Amino acid sequence: MKVDLSEVSQLTADMRGIGRELVPKAHAVVRKVSADTKRDAQALAPVDTGALRSSVTYETRDTGGIITGEVGPTVDYGAHVEFGTSRMAPQAYMGPAFDRHAAAFEQAMAHIKAGDLLG
C-alpha cells in the first residue's frame, strides 16, 4: 500500500511558523485525529481472537513545539495483516482509517494556520 504524505509534509513545514499560542490548538487536533483514527482502525481490523483489534493504540507527543501522533497495533503481526504476506492477502485497516481522517486533519490545521495569519 502506498500512502502519499506530500501534502501532510508541506502542511508540517507551513505549521512551523505558527505562533506559540496556537500550539495547544494544534496538539488538540493531533490528539483528536489520532483518537478517531485509532477508533476506526479498531473497527476495521479483522477479528480472529480480537488481539489485533485491542492492540491498536495511539500516542501523541509535543517535543519542543513539534507535535506528532502515532497510531498502530502493538502486536507483532499487525503489519502482516495490513500489507499481506506471500501466503496471505492484505486486510488493510490502518490505511483506510488514516485515509478517513487525513482531509479533516489538513483542514483543521489549515484553519489554525489561517487563524494565526488573521489574528
Side-chain angles (χ1 to χ4, degrees):
M1 180 173 92
K2 184 176 180 181
V3 177
D4 180 8
L5 297 175
S6 60
E7 291 179 10
V8 174
S9 297
Q10 180 58 49
L11 184 59
T12 301
D14 292 346
M15 293 303 292
R16 287 195 178 111
I18 69 171
R20 294 299 299 163
E21 69 277 0
L22 297 179
V23 170
K25 291 179 183 179
H27 198 182
V29 169
V30 171
R31 250 192 328 271
K32 169 88 168 84
V33 170
S34 295
D36 291 348
T37 302
K38 172 196 172 227
R39 180 199 65 227
D40 286 356
Q42 286 177 321
L44 294 168
V47 177
D48 186 13
T49 65
L52 174 63
R53 177 176 281 176
S54 64
S55 81
V56 178
T57 62
Y58 79 94
E59 182 178 348
T60 61
R61 293 179 198 88
D62 180 351
T63 310
I66 298 172
I67 303 163
T68 60
E70 185 175 341
V71 183
T74 58
V75 294
D76 60 354
Y77 58 87
H80 298 299
V81 174
E82 178 78 13
F83 300 110
T85 67
S86 62
R87 304 176 93 187
M88 179 180 81
Q91 298 178 70
Y93 59 101
M94 290 304 308
F98 173 82
D99 290 344
R100 287 184 180 184
H101 300 285
F105 172 76
E106 290 177 17
Q107 289 172 350
M109 294 302 250
H111 180 68
I112 290 171
K113 177 69 174 167
D116 184 41
L117 294 174
L118 298 173

